[in-house]
Amino acid sequence: FKKGPGLSPEFWEGWEAALIEVDVGVRQAVELTERVKARAEEERVDATAVSELFRAELLKMLQPLPGEETSETPVPPIVTMIVGVNGSGKTTAAAKLARYRQKRGEKVILAACDTFRAAAIEQLGIWAERLGVEMVSQKYGADAAAVAFDAYSAARSRGADRLIIDTAGRLHTRSNLMEELKKIARALGKTEPSAPHEVLLSLDAVVGQNGLLQARSFLEAVGLTGVILNKLDGTARGGIVLAVREELGIPVRFVGIGEGSDDLAEFDPAAFVDALLN
Amino acid sequence: NLTKKFQEVFKNVRGMGKLTEKNLSRALREVNLALLEADVNYRVVKKIVEETKEQALGRKVLASVNPGQQFVRLIHDRLVETMTHPDAGVKLDGSPAVIILAGLQGSGKTTTAAKLAGWARRQRPDCRPLLVAADVRRPAAAGQLKTMGEKAGVETYADGGNSPLTIVTDAVNYARSKDFNPVIVDTAGRLHIDPELMEELKSLKSSLNPREVLLVLDAMTGQDAVRTAVEFDRRVGIDGAILTKLDGDARGGAALSFRAVTGKPVKLAGVGERIDDLQVFDPARIVSRILG
Ligand SMILES: Nc1nc2c(ncn2[C@@H]2O[C@H](COP(=O)(O)OP(=O)(O)OP(=O)(O)O)[C@@H](O)[C@H]2O)c(=O)[nH]1
Ligand SMILES: Nc1nc2c(ncn2[C@@H]2O[C@H](COP(=O)(O)OP(=O)(O)OP(=O)(O)O)[C@@H](O)[C@H]2O)c(=O)[nH]1
Ligand SMILES: [Mg+2]
Ligand SMILES: [Mg+2]
C-alpha cells in the first residue's frame, strides 16, 4: 500500500500541532490524529479530505449520548448553580442565563451566594437591576448555604420559574472551599430533593490542561450537568472541553461570547468544531 | 515524574561514554510531553527541545553515573536560566511612579493592584501608594478596588463619570499634589484583539509615561498565552508580567511561554485571594512545577 503524497509524518505532526495549539491536550491530540490517520489510510483519502475526517471525528466526540437529553420537568423553580474557579466568568454568566430565560418568558430570581469576594454582591446586584430581575442576598460573611436555602424559599413563594445561583470563585485545590460548595448543594437538596437541577461549570476558554483537573474536582464535589465555556470571543478556542466531554462525560451547554447580558449562546458543536479547526 | 522517566530511558546506558541518538530522542520526547502537558506553547517547546538536543549532544553530559538525573539537571538549569531576568524588580521610584496593570478579563488585575499597593508599602514603609480605579466598564469595579485597597490601608482614587484617561490624569495630578507614590492603575479587562480597547490602553500609556506596564496573566492559561503576550507587548509595550493564581495546581507553562516570546520578566506571583498573597516571582520554583 503506497501512501498518498500529502500524508507524510510531517503532515500528521502538523495536525497534532494544530490540535495541541487549541488546548485539546497532547494525549487527546495524539489519539485523535491516530484515529484519523487510520481512517485516512483505510479509505485512501488525500490531504484535503483529511480535514473532513477530523471534523467528523470531533463532532462525534461532542454529540449528545443516548438518554442524555432527558427533559423531566421538575416542580418550579428549576435551580441552576454556577460553579468554577476564580475569574472564569460565573457572575456574568449568571446574569446572561437570567436574561436568556427571561427572553423565553420565564420569571427568574438570582441568588448572590458569593458572600466572600469584595463587591461580589454589588456586581450581581447591578446586573439584576439592569435586567429587572429580583436578587436574593444577605450581607458579606453570611453562610452561602443559608443564602441558597433562603433564595429557594423566596423563589418558590414568589412563583419563579428559575433560580440561578452565583457562587464564589474557588480553586478546586482548596478542600475547605469545595466542602462549602457541597454544603450549598446539600442545603438546596434539603428544601427540594431534586435541587440543584443544573450545576454548570464555568470554564474560561483560555484555560489549558488545568481545565480538566477543575472539571474532575467540581464533578466529584457537587456533580456537573454541563459546562458554560466563557470568553470564546477571544482567540482561545477552549479545546479542553473535548477532554472534559470524553473523560468525564460532561457536555458544554452554553458559550459566553462577550461581556453583555445577551452574549450567551446555546452550544453549537458544528460551529465550535469549525472554530477549532480554523 | 520526569526524573523517574529519564531513569527509565537511560537505564541501559551504563554511564560510560556518550549517550546515543536513540535514548536521547526518547528522553527528548519525554521533555516534549512534560512541557506540553504543563501548557507551555507548542512552538516554544519545539525550540526548547531543539536547543536541549544540541546541548546534550555537544556536552557529553551523560558520561556520568546517573544520566537520568544529569539530564533533568540539564533541562532544569537551562529553563531556570531562561526564566531568570536581570531586571525583574518592580520599579517604585518616581514622582510619582505610575504602574499600570493590564490584561484579559478575570486574570486578577483588581485584586493584584491592591496587593501591589500593600507590597509597595512593605518594600518602602515611608511611601504612600494611591490606587486608581480606571475600570469604568465592569459593574462595581471601583467598589471592589476600594474595598481591597482598604485591606492594604491604601487610598483609592475613583471618579464615576469620566473616561479612564481623564480619571488617571486627574489621579496623577492629585497624587503629585499630595505626595502619593506609587500610583497603581487598575484597568478594565480587555481582549488583545479588541482594537478600541487596545488603543485606549496605548493612549493611557503614552500620556502617563508610566514606570511600569505589567501584564496580569492567569497561571492556568493554556496555549493562547503567547498570543496575549505578543499582542499586549506589540501594541502597547509591557515591562513584565505578574502571574496570578499560582496557589492552584496549574503547572504554569504560560510563564515560560510569556518569557520566551516577549523576553520580558515575570516579576511577581499572586498566590491567593488575600491582600498579602503576593510574592516575588521565583524562577526555580516555576521550573520545577512546569517539569512536574
Ligand atoms: N470577553 C468576555 N469577557 C467575559 C465573558 N464572560 C465574562 N467576562 C468577563 O470576565 C470578567 C470576570 O467575570 P466574572 O463574571 O466576574 O467572573 P467570576 O467567575 O464571577 O469571578 P469571581 O467571582 O471573582 O470568581 C469580567 O470582566 C467579565 O465581564 C465572555 O464571554 N467574554
Ligand atoms: N486563588 C487566587 N485567586 C485570585 C488570585 N488573584 C486574583 N484572584 C481571584 O480571581 C478573581 C478575579 O480577580 P479580579 O481581581 O476581579 O480580576 P480582574 O482581572 O480585575 O477582572 P476584570 O476586571 O473583570 O478583568 C477574584 O475572585 C480574585 O479573588 C490569586 O493569586 N489566587
Ligand atoms: Mg463572581
Ligand atoms: Mg478588575
Side-chain angles (χ1 to χ4, degrees):
Chain A
F1 167 70
K2 179 170 167 295
K3 283 208 188 86
L7 307 187
S8 63
E10 289 73 29
F11 172 79
W12 292 113
E13 194 185 311
W15 270 103
E16 236 174 58
L19 292 170
I20 291 170
E21 290 194 294
V22 289
D23 292 310
V24 166
V26 191
R27 198 174 68 75
Q28 284 249 317
V30 169
E31 276 178 19
L32 186 58
T33 306
E34 293 287 311
R35 228 163 37 238
V36 171
K37 185 165 179 275
R39 270 187 74 178
E41 289 173 352
E42 183 182 337
E43 298 173 25
R44 301 210 176 191
V45 298
D46 64 0
T48 49
V50 167
S51 180
E52 196 41 46
L53 287 182
F54 270 104
R55 192 164 181 285
E57 284 296 320
L58 286 164
L59 268 177
K60 215 190 299 174
M61 290 167 81
L62 294 170
Q63 288 313 332
L65 303 167
E68 200 175 55
E69 301 290 11
T70 51
S71 54
E72 22 161 332
T73 40
V75 176
I78 298 176
V79 181
T80 300
M81 214 171 131
I82 305 185
V83 303
V85 302
N86 307 71
S88 60
K90 298 175 293 300
T91 304
T92 312
K96 289 176 186 174
L97 274 171
R99 176 91 189 109
Y100 176 81
R101 297 299 175 194
Q102 187 183 57
K103 282 198 270 199
R104 281 156 177 74
E106 299 188 67
K107 176 173 160 84
V108 184
I109 291 193
L110 285 166
C113 287
D114 179 354
T115 55
F116 168 74
R117 204 209 68 211
I121 300 174
E122 282 83 349
Q123 183 188 2
L124 189 64
I126 289 170
W127 279 117
E129 194 178 331
R130 283 179 185 173
L131 299 180
V133 158
E134 289 178 55
M135 178 179 80
V136 173
S137 66
Q138 292 180 17
K139 55 192 167 91
Y140 288 97
D143 177 21
V147 180
F149 190 92
D150 281 356
Y152 186 87
S153 320
R156 188 74 182 259
S157 66
R158 291 173 211 177
D161 299 299
R162 299 258 174 187
L163 173 64
I164 298 175
I165 300 180
D166 181 26
T167 64
R170 68 202 69 222
L171 293 185
H172 53 287
T173 45
R174 294 278 309 270
S175 54
N176 58 328
L177 297 183
M178 297 307 277
E179 281 307 316
E180 179 198 63
L181 206 57
K182 291 181 194 174
K183 194 158 169 267
I184 297 174
R186 273 201 305 274
L188 290 166
K190 277 204 190 81
T191 88
E192 164 51 48
S194 61
H197 307 101
E198 265 193 327
V199 182
L200 298 173
L201 176 68
S202 162
L203 274 182
D204 190 329
V206 311
V207 84
Q209 297 309 298
N210 198 254
L212 181 59
L213 299 183
Q214 293 171 23
R216 243 184 231 133
S217 298
F218 281 95
L219 173 68
E220 191 274 335
V222 288
L224 295 172
T225 60
V227 164
I228 302 187
L229 184 61
N230 292 314
K231 309 179 202 173
L232 215 51
D233 47 319
T235 51
R237 289 280 147 262
I240 195 65
V241 300
L242 286 167
V244 172
R245 173 58 166 170
E246 195 80 334
E247 295 188 27
L248 307 174
I250 306 163
V252 179
R253 289 283 182 225
F254 296 97
V255 295
I257 45 174
E259 302 190 68
S261 56
D262 287 321
D263 294 328
L264 183 83
E266 284 181 24
F267 183 61
D268 175 356
F272 179 77
V273 170
D274 282 343
L276 266 193
L277 298 181
N278 296 322
Chain B
N1 68 36
L2 207 58
T3 308
K4 278 215 182 64
K5 290 204 184 119
F6 286 154
Q7 317 280 37
E8 266 309 297
V9 171
F10 290 114
K11 76 169 184 247
N12 296 320
V13 175
R14 255 165 279 120
M16 295 300 155
K18 215 147 153 288
L19 80 159
T20 69
E21 277 276 352
K22 183 153 172 285
N23 55 38
L24 174 62
S25 76
R26 274 184 64 200
L28 290 175
R29 245 199 311 281
E30 292 296 341
V31 177
N32 188 56
L33 192 62
L35 293 177
L36 288 175
E37 286 177 338
D39 291 323
V40 183
N41 181 266
Y42 186 86
R43 290 162 214 228
V44 173
V45 174
K46 212 164 169 70
K47 190 153 172 290
I48 290 171
V49 169
E50 272 308 312
E51 292 171 357
T52 305
K53 181 177 181 191
E54 286 173 24
Q55 225 184 334
L57 287 175
R59 231 211 244 176
K60 293 205 197 75
V61 71
L62 299 177
S64 84
V65 164
N66 194 336
Q69 221 169 60
Q70 273 282 304
F71 200 69
V72 177
R73 207 42 279 204
L74 173 69
I75 312 252
H76 184 272
D77 292 353
R78 167 79 220 297
L79 292 183
V80 171
E81 192 184 343
T82 305
M83 287 308 302
T84 305
H85 191 285
D87 185 21
V90 176
K91 300 182 176 50
L92 300 175
D93 51 310
S95 48
V98 177
I99 299 173
I100 299 178
L101 297 190
L104 297 179
Q105 290 87 346
S107 59
K109 298 172 295 297
T110 305
T111 310
T112 303
K115 287 179 183 178
L116 188 57
W119 184 84
R121 283 188 75 195
R122 290 198 296 280
Q123 298 298 309
R124 303 182 170 195
D126 54 328
C127 84
R128 272 190 327 141
L130 180 70
L131 286 165
V132 184
D135 177 357
V136 301
R137 294 170 163 260
R138 173 169 156 155
Q144 182 187 3
L145 185 64
K146 189 159 184 297
T147 300
M148 290 302 289
E150 283 163 2
K151 295 203 205 282
V154 170
E155 183 174 331
T156 299
Y157 184 98
D159 168 7
N162 275 308
S163 72
L165 187 54
T166 306
I167 294 172
V168 197
T169 308
D170 292 351
V172 172
N173 290 332
Y174 173 70
R176 203 168 277 134
S177 69
K178 298 274 192 258
D179 221 4
F180 284 99
N181 184 54
V183 173
I184 299 166
V185 183
D186 178 30
T187 63
R190 69 202 63 218
L191 296 176
H192 46 283
I193 51 168
D194 185 329
E196 185 190 334
L197 287 184
M198 291 307 282
E199 193 52 40
E200 173 191 273
L201 187 62
K202 186 159 182 243
S203 60
L204 212 67
K205 178 181 180 185
S206 58
S207 62
L208 294 176
N209 191 17
R211 204 81 182 76
E212 300 260 16
V213 176
L214 300 173
L215 179 69
V216 177
L217 183 63
D218 195 324
M220 61 185 89
T221 308
Q223 296 286 310
D224 208 54
V226 290
R227 276 277 320 244
T228 306
V230 165
E231 290 301 310
F232 271 89
D233 195 25
R234 198 173 58 88
R235 296 198 198 204
V236 181
I238 54 181
D239 300 295
I242 301 179
L243 203 63
T244 60
K245 307 176 202 173
L246 275 168
D247 46 316
D249 59 1
R251 299 269 289 277
L256 188 52
S257 299
F258 170 84
R259 179 91 181 87
V261 303
T262 64
K264 305 288 163 71
V266 179
K267 302 199 174 197
L268 299 171
V271 293
E273 294 192 76
R274 297 171 322 194
I275 199 72
D276 292 341
D277 292 331
L278 189 67
Q279 299 170 355
V280 169
F281 184 74
D282 182 347
R285 210 119 130 272
I286 197 82
V287 170
S288 302
R289 189 169 170 145
I290 288 172
L291 290 178

